[in-house]
């Protein structure tokens, strides 16, 4: 009997010790679980807002296009303006690219506008049209100024398989100036002229007749043209005052125009690649500076004089030219 009591006492001791061990092991586990829950709650509380703030945008009170004021006291107009400021400010990658390209191409466009008496604001029309790239629209509008083939030929540009001067920034800008001056005389308003650049003068004239109004801000237009002038003004404001809209750029961040010299060609060219090799560049670099050359050769049976832009040496990696 005594032996049985001893066995029972031993079993009881083991049970007590086991309970103590489990309790000691459980406490850190529970603390760890609590810590994990706290950490999880902290992570849940974190958001994008911890490092990035999105806010409404204050619209400049003196907002205008080419000196023509925008009627911001009209709530419908104000909403349309606000939309373009929000869209173009918070599409940051696109805005940054436009700023970088503007630094490269505005110095080419600005003096041509000035020489023709066109308000400087029209350089932002080119930004709205093409993003300052030599793009081609589904309708065939081409280049920085999105000129149609017929319009280009009407205003003196050469447009064929060999050469398409709608891609020639200086010549295309001059055509845009001629076009803008013509329609300013007709509409009497720079704002309506800009709208006509987008929709076509016949379209704007038609809407004005149907709706019996003569102001862009009174016209009910399709979405693209209805947004067009507002988008130009938003782009103008953001590019002109980038820091005001949260953009931080230094001059070293900008795209720069490579210095060039010109050579004249008045004969056929059988291979532009061979021609490029004469100046220690390659075909790609030649086309980069002369995008209006559309084929790898030039027929030129009429011996017309063409001016070819060649970059100064040392600016491009051209590999082993001719090898």
């Amino acid at each position: 009997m005594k032996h049985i009591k001893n066995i029972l006492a031993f079993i009881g001791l083991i049970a007590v010790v086991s309970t103590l061990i489990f309790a000691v092991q459980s406490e850190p586990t529970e603390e760890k679980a609590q810590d994990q829950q706290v950490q999880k709650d902290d992570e849940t509380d974190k958001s994008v807002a911890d490092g990035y703030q999105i806010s409404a945008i204050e619209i400049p009170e003196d907002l205008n296009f080419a000196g023509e004021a925008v009627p911001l006291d009209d709530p419908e107009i104000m909403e349309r303006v606000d939309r373009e400021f929000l869209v173009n400010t918070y599409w940051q990658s696109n805005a940054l690219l436009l700023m970088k390209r503007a630094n490269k191409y505005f110095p080419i466009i600005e003096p041509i506008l000035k020489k023709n008496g066109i308000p400087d604001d029209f350089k932002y029309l080119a930004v709205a049209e093409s993003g300052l790239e030599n793009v081609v629209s589904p309708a065939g509008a081409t280049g920085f100024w999105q000129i149609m083939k017929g319009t280009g030929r009407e205003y003196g540009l050469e447009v064929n398989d060999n050469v398409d001067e709608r891609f020639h920034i200086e010549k295309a800008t001059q055509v845009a100036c001629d076009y803008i001056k013509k329609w300013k005389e007709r509409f009497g308003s720079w704002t309506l002229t800009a709208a006509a650049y987008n929709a076509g003068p016949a379209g704007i004239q038609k809407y004005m007749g149907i709706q019996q109004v003569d102001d862009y801000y009174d016209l009910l237009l399709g979405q693209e043209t209805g947004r067009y002038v507002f988008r130009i003004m938003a782009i103008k404001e953001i590019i002109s005052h980038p820091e005001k809209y949260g953009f931080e750029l230094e001059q070293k961040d900008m795209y720069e125009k490579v210095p060039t010299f010109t050579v004249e060609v008045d004969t056929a060219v059988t291979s532009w690649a061979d021609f490029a090799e004469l100046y220690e560049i390659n075909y790609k670099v030649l086309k980069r500076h002369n995008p209006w050359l559309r084929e790898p050769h030039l027929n030129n049976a009429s011996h017309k004089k063409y001016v070819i832009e060649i970059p100064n040496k040392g600016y491009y990696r051209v590999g082993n030219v001719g090898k």
Side-chain angles (χ1 to χ4, degrees), residues 65-119:
F65 178 73
E68 298 174 1
V70 183
L72 295 176
D73 55 344
D74 183 318
E76 190 266 346
I77 298 297
M78 188 61 178
E79 283 191 26
R80 291 162 70 187
V81 170
D82 190 52
R83 173 183 181 175
E84 299 309 319
F85 269 79
L86 288 169
V87 168
N88 288 281
T89 298
Y90 289 116
W91 188 7
Q92 295 95 331
S93 59
N94 186 65
L96 283 168
L97 282 170
L98 296 182
M99 293 173 197
K100 288 169 174 278
R101 292 176 192 148
N103 186 75
K104 181 178 181 179
Y105 294 114
F106 276 1
I108 300 172
I109 294 171
E110 289 166 347
I112 301 173
L113 295 176
K114 185 176 181 179
K115 181 184 71 174
N116 286 274
I118 304 297

Side-chain angles (χ1 to χ4, degrees), residues 198-215:
N198 179 256
I204 294 299
Q205 196 75 53
K206 174 184 175 182
Y207 287 123
M208 289 171 65
I210 293 172
Q211 300 175 30
Q212 299 180 27
V213 293
D214 58 2
D215 190 300

Side-chain angles (χ1 to χ4, degrees), residues 120-135:
D120 192 64
D121 280 3
F122 275 87
K123 67 190 180 189
Y124 300 104
L125 183 147
V127 180
E129 284 287 332
S130 65
L132 297 178
E133 291 189 290
N134 272 316
V135 295

Side-chain angles (χ1 to χ4, degrees), residues 266-286:
D266 60 3
T267 62
V269 176
T270 55
S271 169
W272 283 119
D274 289 342
F275 180 91
E277 186 179 346
L278 297 175
Y279 298 95
E280 299 180 37
I281 57 175
N282 58 29
Y283 179 73
K284 181 184 76 172
V285 172
L286 181 73

